[in-house]
Amino acid sequence: MAEARSIKVEGTGLRNGVAEGPNKFVIYASEKHDVSKIQIGFDGPGQPECRLNTKKDKSIDVTYTSPVAGEYKIHVRYDDKPIPGSPFKCKIIGDVKGAVDKVKASGDTKEGKVNVNNTILVDGREVGILGRSSPRPLRKYRGALKARLPIQTK
């Protein structure tokens, strides 16, 4: 008889994700498992929309979209018993659509010229992104920020 303890799960969507974006993880069941007995539930500030895609090898691709950011618990059960690690603590960050609307661009955004430097300034201060002109990666900061990210193209 197949047991909950022999089911495995993995994927970044078990630990973190983005509000309004697709978040994913995979459930691995064996041939002994009846995949119709697998249950998934969420506890948190919103009720995610969840899609399951069962493959021939009985693995299940799980894709969910959470409407709001916050701390969630993802419950994965088999035959009413929790699988190892369940519930999984998951942090969903940001309101992606709202954040994108707050990023501002200025400079040569409409018409660039060929073979000369064109400068576009991307200002993400309202969403907590501080840019720098060096090739180092962007960092996320909290509080008031006083910088814009210049982008030069040719």
Side-chain angles (χ1 to χ4, degrees), residues 112-118 153-154:
K113 296 177 181 153
V114 178
N115 297 323
V116 298
N117 284 336
N118 297 285
T153 63
K154 272 193 176 182

Side-chain angles (χ1 to χ4, degrees), residues 118-143:
N118 297 285
T119 301
I120 301 170
L121 294 173
V122 179
D123 186 348
R125 291 178 286 185
E126 282 191 53
V127 293
I129 299 172
L130 174 63
R132 50 179 115 243
S133 57
S134 71
R136 293 185 304 194
L138 295 177
R139 293 185 184 170
K140 185 166 182 161
Y141 289 89
R142 294 182 187 192

Side-chain angles (χ1 to χ4, degrees), residues 16-150:
N16 54 61
V18 179
E20 298 181 13
N23 303 294
K24 300 178 181 188
F25 64 92
V26 180
I27 301 171
Y28 295 100
S30 72
E31 291 296 322
K32 298 176 187 175
H33 291 98
D34 176 359
V35 293
S36 69
K37 292 183 179 183
I38 293 176
Q39 303 159 315
I40 299 172
F42 295 86
D43 289 330
Q47 184 57 47
E49 184 179 307
C50 187
R51 288 176 285 141
L52 308 175
N53 180 26
T54 305
K55 297 181 177 179
K56 289 181 183 179
D57 66 357
K58 290 207 174 181
S59 66
I60 302 168
D61 288 335
V62 180
T63 303
Y64 67 93
T65 305
S66 176
V68 295
E71 301 287 332
Y72 288 81
K73 287 185 182 176
I74 301 173
H75 299 270
V76 181
R77 301 174 70 84
Y78 178 75
D79 201 15
D80 286 329
K81 295 175 183 72
I83 67 157
S86 182
F88 300 91
K89 292 180 182 178
C90 181
K91 183 173 184 173
I92 302 295
I93 60 168
D95 171 4
V96 175
K97 290 179 184 174
V100 168
D101 291 341
K102 292 178 183 175
V103 174
K104 297 176 179 96
S106 62
D108 300 323
T109 59
K110 294 184 180 174
E111 294 181 21
K113 296 177 181 153
V114 178
N115 297 323
V116 298
N117 284 336
N118 297 285
T119 301
I120 301 170
L121 294 173
V122 179
D123 186 348
R125 291 178 286 185
E126 282 191 53
V127 293
I129 299 172
L130 174 63
R132 50 179 115 243
S133 57
S134 71
R136 293 185 304 194
L138 295 177
R139 293 185 184 170
K140 185 166 182 161
Y141 289 89
R142 294 182 187 192
L145 303 173
K146 298 178 181 176
R148 295 182 292 173
L149 174 64

